[in-house]
Amino acid sequence: AQSVTQPDIHITVSEGASLELRCNYSYGATPYLFWYVQSPGQGLQLLLKYFSGDTLVQGIKGFEAEFKRSQSSFNLRKPSVHWSDAAEYFCAVYNAGNNRKLIWGLGTSLAVNP
Amino acid sequence: GAVVSQHPSRVICKSGTSVKIECRSLDFQATTMFWYRQFPKQSLMLMATSNEGSKATYEQGVEKDKFLINHASLTLSTLTVTSAHPEDSSFYICSASFGGYEQYFGPGTRLTVT
């Protein structure tokens, strides 16, 4: 069955430090992958997506993610974290089967220390 | 582009009453709309998928008589929580798609049932 795993429930980093949020997926076909960010009490904002082509994807707010098929991973990175990046981050894979829905990871909560 | 709105953003209602939440795609025609429920500190749970002019497809475990979904036009879907009870209190998020892989999310509606 298709699934998305975000191994880290909670991460704390210092402002200015680099960040990597992990995402592993299980999907039989070519995956369409997404990273979303959710600030407290807010909806979801798309950070970036991967459909095909270059496996290093650039997104908004200085984020990037790298698709590694051999590792079934789509990790999100940012070289220097800002306090405003504190939020919940969700990885998702699109299920192109009959139900055409997104399969979500459980999310990683990011805290940023000043 | 691809803006989705939800109304209301917050609603408080008394137990036993019904509440309607609207989801609108403002600048595109949404052939498919999705309704999610999110519990505190948790991921999104898909409740149902609706296609314009068709009956909604509910996920397993979601009571279709309790959560009525109508997708009457290409820009509007509504979720009605009937006979609401405190356990229905949650954050409800809609998303819309115009047939591709992406979903565009609304800002969410905080429902509190007293």
Side-chain angles (χ1 to χ4, degrees), chain B residues 93-108:
Chain B
I93 303 174
C94 75
S95 70
S97 169
F98 47 84
Y101 309 116
E102 285 193 56
Q103 294 180 25
Y104 302 92
F105 287 84

Side-chain angles (χ1 to χ4, degrees), chain A residues 54-99:
Chain A
D54 193 343
T55 56
L56 185 61
V57 180
Q58 301 298 319
I60 62 171
K61 303 185 178 187
F63 285 93
E64 66 177 27
E66 186 170 12
F67 170 61
K68 292 185 177 180
R69 185 185 297 276
S70 62
Q71 298 178 21
S72 297
S73 69
F74 188 56
N75 294 347
L76 182 71
R77 300 194 294 248
K78 186 170 184 177
S80 178
V81 170
H82 188 262
W83 63 267
S84 61
D85 293 324
E88 192 80 18
Y89 291 80
F90 294 99
C91 180
V93 63
Y94 176 77
N95 184 343
N98 290 335
N99 49 22

Side-chain angles (χ1 to χ4, degrees), chain B residues 71-114:
Chain B
H71 190 168
S73 78
L74 285 169
T75 59
L76 173 65
S77 176
T78 60
L79 167 67
T80 302
V81 183
T82 62
S83 187
H85 290 284
E87 57 266 30
D88 299 324
S89 298
S90 195
F91 193 53
Y92 293 89
I93 303 174
C94 75
S95 70
S97 169
F98 47 84
Y101 309 116
E102 285 193 56
Q103 294 180 25
Y104 302 92
F105 287 84
T109 297
R110 174 75 59 195
L111 170 63
T112 304
V113 184
T114 61

Side-chain angles (χ1 to χ4, degrees), chain A residues 30-67:
Chain A
T30 300
Y32 300 101
L33 295 156
F34 304 84
W35 273 101
Y36 289 90
V37 61
Q38 185 180 33
S39 298
Q42 303 296 313
L44 283 87
Q45 183 179 23
L46 178 66
L47 284 175
L48 46 78
K49 61 193 177 190
Y50 172 79
F51 289 170
S52 64
D54 193 343
T55 56
L56 185 61
V57 180
Q58 301 298 319
I60 62 171
K61 303 185 178 187
F63 285 93
E64 66 177 27
E66 186 170 12
F67 170 61

Side-chain angles (χ1 to χ4, degrees), chain B residues 7-25:
Chain B
H7 179 80
S9 58
R10 292 178 180 272
V11 58
I12 301 172
C13 70
K14 292 188 176 180
S15 187
T17 63
S18 294
V19 174
K20 180 183 285 188
I21 302 170
E22 291 187 350
C23 176
R24 294 182 184 271
S25 56

